Amino acid sequence: MSGLHADSTRFVRDTMLAEQEPPLTERGAVKWARENLFSGPLNTFLTVVGVFALYLILKGLGPWLLHSVWFANSAAECRETVAADFGPGATGACWGVVRERWAQYFYGFYPSEAYWRVNLAFVLLFVALAPILFAGVPRKVLWFTAFYPVTALFLLWGGSIWVPVVIMAGIAFGWVAFRLLGPFAGALIAAIAAGLVPVLWWLILAAPVAHLIEGWIPLGIEAIPSAKFGGFLLSFTIGVTGIAFSLPLGIVLALGRQSDMPLVKMLSVGFIEFIRGVPLITLLFTASLLLNYFLPPGTNFDIILRVIIMVTLFSAAYIAEVIRGGLAALPRGQYEAADALGLDYWKAQQLIIMPQALKISIPGIVSSFIGLFKDTTLVIFVGLLDPLKGITDAIRGSFEWKGVYWEPFIFPGLIFFLICFGMSRYSMYLENKLKRGQR
Amino acid sequence: MSEPAVDRTIDRSHMHVSDEVAIQITGMNKWYGAFHVLRDINMTVNRGERIVICGPSGSGKSTLIRCINRLEEHQKGQIIVDGTELTSDLKNIDKVRSEVGMVFQHFNLFPHLTILENCTLAPIWVRKEPRKEAEETAMHYLEKVKIPEQAGKYPGQLSGGQQQRVAIARSLCMKPRIMLFDEPTSALDPEMIKEVLDTMIELAEEGMTMLCVTHEMGFAQAVANRVVFMDQGQIVEQNEPTEFFNNPQSDRTQLFLSQILGH
């Protein structure tokens, strides 16, 4: 035994050990449960409580869902069916209400013979979005995207075809003004003119001109007033327009807040802080009631348009702050490298700064979008029929469906969830894609 | 001298200093708030000169070269680059920046663009070169810095030395007449310093006018025609390298040299 120490320190392995499975408690479901459910007295207790709570929920909700009635023409009929099938006193969900009134959830009081216009606008929306959301779509589709807003406007509200045409003409005039002034008046003046010309055109000349042409060549489809809009049609109209316009506006505000020009900076900060300091409902009330006092009597300023403007401004203020966070996260060196290469402010922003700042801000921006989309239900307070309360109340107030309580809320809730969950998933997809590209 | 980084003979056939003035700095002062960072800087750089600026940290050497392409604004005095005076006039600033290339300590490549896109961005958007032509130029310079095979990758996929060589190529794509180097090797691992210095030496061999802020004294001895020593925002001593290293005049210079070369 004297050579023990030397024996154990001098060592040469002659056979390699085979790999062995871990012990039973260290693998599969047992390991998972040990680590996640029963890792200590407190966690074990919480697991038991959690399981019990789950049991209570299922016990309450299970029968109600299992006894669902899909075909019924009134709440009373639902109750009778449940009582007949599962005995008196049994509860059951009454999805018949959704089955009968789904059109109202989606279209509001839009005339049913014109549903195709909404459907077409909805399908075209995805065509227009495709090139923005996915890189694989041919770039030429962007031309369609550019024309989508006026197309949707025409399809949804109808009326004379000349209205969307003169609206587009305003944009064309702005472009012409930019090209004409650009060479000798400088980029800034040209840009201001490019913004001012269309606005003046739309406010003053567009309506009479459209009317005039309509007099010569009457062409159009049935006009449908904003009052007929409701449900998810309304939510989508406000939500999609708000999202589309609040991002660029938010970028401009974020840049304005960082500007060296005191006036621009002050206006941006003031705007952002004011909007963020006021509840959206206040802004909506302002849009629906107060604005009329300031506008000349007899002005018909469409209520949906007013709401869209307010929702856009509201969301833009939040997005501006999200993007400011992204800008702050960029190292100074990026600005310096862009400067040193001779890129001017706008080119540096467009090519170097914004692509990176927006990438960092994606989660925050999408959160703002989701918030905006859900906030569209607040239009109920200015008398528009949102899908969650406006339509649901209309249904629950009807004679046949009195007493149906949960179902009319669950349905729009589910649709909101699907849309918002979709946006959230898309944002994760985009983050992963951009991360992969640069790693 | 413990400087293994430069171990090659240098071809001096194209390295000559002309009489033409490239940069003229007279009575230049700069403050950060109340802090006087640069004090009465007077300096003339002729075309073809290779100047190494050294000094302790906080001596204002980086600030000095950053004033030359107006990344920093000077408050007093005059800087004339290639006949254009740097004032708040944006046209002049753009003109100077298109003549002067800059390489940073932390490379500052654009992480969302590929190596090739990094190199072609400024030629396409500032010089309005056609894309194809810009890409050919970019590939030419990437070959020069010996990494054409990385053109399709993103900066994050490259080593520090490779990134710095891309940064040099990116600057060269704008065909600058003057190159500024702001501690180009300070953020690199020792084994990568050499590849970047080699690239810089090649540039010097072609006769490029260069101003380098660096602590690579081997590079200074081998390539520079003048070494400028700065302390406390002032030029304390300048001389041609052999004299500067072997026979430093001021106490401050002697102390600095003994500290960085003493072991």
Side-chain angles (χ1 to χ4, degrees):
Chain A
M1 297 298 268
S2 59
L4 183 70
H5 179 70
D7 285 346
S8 60
T9 45
R10 246 189 63 217
F11 174 73
V12 179
R13 182 175 290 286
D14 43 14
T15 50
M16 301 307 281
L17 297 176
E19 194 179 337
Q20 290 184 333
E21 285 213 337
L24 194 64
T25 50
E26 282 303 315
R27 59 186 147 127
V30 180
K31 176 182 158 77
W32 183 87
R34 249 166 53 108
E35 282 180 358
N36 294 295
L37 300 178
F38 307 106
S39 64
L42 179 66
N43 282 353
T44 308
F45 173 71
L46 288 177
T47 302
V48 172
V49 171
V51 168
F52 186 65
L54 209 61
Y55 163 75
L56 287 184
I57 292 171
L58 282 180
K59 187 172 167 250
L61 216 59
W64 186 72
L65 281 175
L66 284 174
H67 301 167
S68 290
V69 177
W70 300 91
F71 301 93
N73 292 319
S74 70
E77 203 182 320
C78 264
R79 260 177 250 126
E80 280 162 23
T81 317
V82 172
D85 289 357
F86 305 101
T91 54
C94 182
W95 302 112
V97 61
V98 174
R99 197 187 166 76
E100 205 209 40
R101 297 297 191 99
W102 65 271
Q104 226 173 346
Y105 274 112
F106 289 119
Y107 304 100
F109 295 101
Y110 210 82
S112 56
E113 71 275 8
Y115 280 175
W116 66 270
R117 281 158 54 175
V118 179
N119 297 344
L120 184 59
F122 186 68
V123 171
L124 291 181
L125 171 67
F126 288 94
V127 181
L129 280 179
I132 298 173
L133 297 185
F134 302 103
V137 178
R139 295 293 92 187
K140 283 198 181 109
V141 185
L142 278 171
W143 280 105
F144 177 77
T145 310
F147 285 100
Y148 179 75
V150 281
T151 314
L153 177 82
F154 177 64
L155 278 173
L156 293 180
W157 275 274
S160 164
I161 196 164
W162 301 113
V163 174
V165 170
V166 294
I167 290 176
M168 278 192 295
I171 296 170
F173 289 148
W175 186 77
V176 169
F178 185 78
R179 291 327 287 272
L180 285 181
L181 280 172
F184 53 91
L188 187 67
I189 295 181
I192 292 172
L196 220 57
V197 168
V199 170
L200 288 177
W201 164 260
W202 288 328
L203 286 181
I204 301 165
L205 282 174
V209 168
H211 193 73
L212 196 68
I213 308 177
E214 177 69 18
W216 300 329
I217 317 161
L219 204 59
I221 50 178
E222 188 202 345
I224 292 164
S226 291
K228 300 266 186 201
F229 282 51
F232 281 102
L233 167 60
L234 188 64
S235 275
F236 264 89
T237 310
I238 298 169
V240 171
T241 322
I243 285 172
F245 287 101
S246 61
L247 183 60
L249 190 59
I251 293 175
V252 171
L253 283 171
L255 292 179
R257 192 167 189 162
Q258 300 224 315
S259 171
D260 294 331
M261 290 180 267
L263 188 69
V264 174
K265 188 181 171 117
M266 223 169 62
L267 285 174
S268 305
V269 173
F271 178 87
I272 292 169
E273 294 304 337
F274 171 74
I275 297 273
R276 291 206 308 165
V278 173
L280 178 57
I281 294 179
T282 316
L283 295 177
L284 292 178
F285 275 133
T286 311
S288 80
L289 303 171
L290 280 178
L291 223 54
N292 278 355
Y293 292 112
F294 298 115
L295 293 171
T299 319
N300 179 24
F301 194 9
D302 190 90
I303 178 74
I304 294 186
L305 181 60
R306 282 186 270 170
V307 166
I308 285 176
I309 291 173
M310 284 305 178
V311 168
T312 305
L313 297 183
F314 187 77
S315 175
Y318 282 87
I319 288 175
E321 286 298 279
V322 170
I323 293 174
R324 190 167 69 100
L327 287 171
L330 282 194
R332 258 213 76 56
Q334 293 292 308
Y335 293 88
E336 286 177 353
D339 280 348
L341 285 171
L343 293 165
D344 64 32
Y345 176 81
W346 291 109
K347 281 188 195 124
Q349 289 297 341
Q350 176 201 342
L351 300 166
I352 309 297
I353 307 302
M354 271 306 149
Q356 297 184 62
L358 288 178
K359 191 190 113 189
I360 299 170
S361 318
I362 288 171
I365 291 174
V366 174
S367 285
S368 296
F369 285 168
I370 290 176
L372 184 156
F373 188 67
K374 290 191 295 187
D375 281 351
T376 58
T377 52
L378 292 177
V379 296
I380 180 72
F381 290 108
V382 292
L384 291 172
L385 288 176
D386 79 297
L388 192 64
K389 184 156 170 62
I391 297 294
T392 304
D393 279 359
I395 292 170
R396 290 172 59 226
S398 69
F399 178 73
E400 309 91 81
W401 298 108
K402 215 172 231 345
V404 174
Y405 194 78
W406 293 104
E407 298 84 341
F409 285 116
I410 291 176
F411 177 64
L414 204 63
I415 291 179
F416 267 112
F417 173 78
L418 286 178
I419 293 164
C420 296
F421 186 66
M423 284 199 251
S424 149
R425 285 278 124 178
Y426 175 76
S427 119
M428 287 169 79
Y429 154 81
L430 199 60
E431 276 172 69
N432 279 332
K433 197 182 90 163
L434 293 176
K435 214 182 278 168
R436 230 181 305 130
Q438 292 167 26
R439 203 96 337 210
Chain B
M1 199 160 294
S2 60
E3 288 291 340
V6 179
D7 58 355
R8 47 179 275 195
T9 48
I10 290 167
D11 169 18
R12 296 180 181 275
S13 57
H14 294 94
M15 282 191 193
H16 36 70
V17 177
S18 83
D19 292 338
E20 192 191 339
V21 175
I23 303 168
Q24 173 85 53
I25 302 174
T26 12
M28 196 258 277
N29 282 269
K30 176 171 175 58
W31 289 262
Y32 283 131
F35 177 51
H36 201 170
V37 259
L38 292 177
R39 307 179 193 178
D40 192 35
I41 305 286
N42 290 288
M43 191 172 169
T44 306
V45 181
N46 283 2
R47 190 156 308 290
E49 279 204 272
R50 300 148 319 269
I51 297 177
V52 162
I53 304 171
C54 58
S57 62
S59 58
K61 47 197 191 318
S62 284
T63 312
L64 171 61
I65 69 163
R66 286 156 63 88
C67 281
I68 293 171
N69 67 350
R70 195 74 172 187
L71 286 184
E72 304 281 356
E73 198 176 317
H74 61 283
Q75 278 94 33
K76 217 173 125 192
Q78 210 180 25
I79 303 177
I80 300 173
V81 182
D82 265 334
T84 311
E85 184 181 354
L86 278 170
T87 58
S88 50
D89 186 344
L90 288 175
K91 279 209 182 86
N92 284 0
I93 295 175
D94 284 345
K95 186 153 179 290
V96 166
R97 282 177 179 166
S98 67
E99 301 276 327
V100 178
M102 182 151 195
V103 176
F104 298 88
Q105 180 177 1
H106 295 288
F107 333 134
N108 295 352
L109 294 177
F110 305 130
H112 62 300
L113 300 176
T114 62
I115 299 309
L116 188 65
E117 286 165 344
N118 262 279
C119 292
T120 56
L121 183 103
I124 291 174
W125 291 90
V126 179
R127 288 225 190 276
K128 311 283 178 210
E129 275 178 35
R131 175 172 297 273
K132 202 164 160 357
E133 199 178 297
E135 281 176 359
E136 278 164 17
T137 317
M139 286 314 292
H140 168 75
Y141 283 112
L142 286 174
E143 263 159 45
K144 224 169 117 79
V145 301
K146 305 192 181 68
I147 30 177
E149 72 282 359
Q150 312 283 7
K153 288 193 183 166
Y154 285 90
Q157 297 167 309
L158 269 55
S159 74
Q162 289 174 322
Q163 289 195 45
Q164 193 60 299
R165 284 184 284 152
V166 171
I168 294 172
R170 179 175 72 174
S171 285
L172 293 176
C173 284
M174 287 294 279
K175 311 229 168 69
R177 307 184 68 193
I178 301 166
M179 284 289 283
L180 308 175
F181 293 85
D182 186 3
E183 306 205 25
T185 54
S186 301
L188 296 176
D189 292 339
E191 70 265 34
M192 291 172 184
I193 291 177
K194 189 178 173 303
E195 59 188 57
V196 170
L197 287 182
D198 278 344
T199 309
M200 290 167 66
I201 291 167
E202 271 173 39
L203 212 53
E205 284 173 336
E206 284 163 20
M208 176 67 81
T209 311
M210 295 164 73
L211 275 84
C212 313
V213 172
T214 182
H215 295 117
E216 295 298 328
M217 292 303 137
F219 173 78
Q221 287 206 312
V223 176
N225 68 308
R226 180 159 36 133
V227 181
V228 175
F229 175 69
M230 288 183 71
D231 191 22
Q232 293 172 17
Q234 307 159 60
I235 296 179
V236 174
E237 186 166 348
Q238 48 178 323
N239 211 335
E240 55 93 20
T242 332
E243 271 295 296
F244 178 85
F245 288 110
N246 296 332
N247 190 15
Q249 299 297 313
S250 92
D251 298 344
R252 198 64 200 85
T253 316
Q254 286 165 10
L255 180 67
F256 175 76
L257 287 178
S258 73
Q259 273 165 351
I260 64 166
L261 303 174
H263 42 101

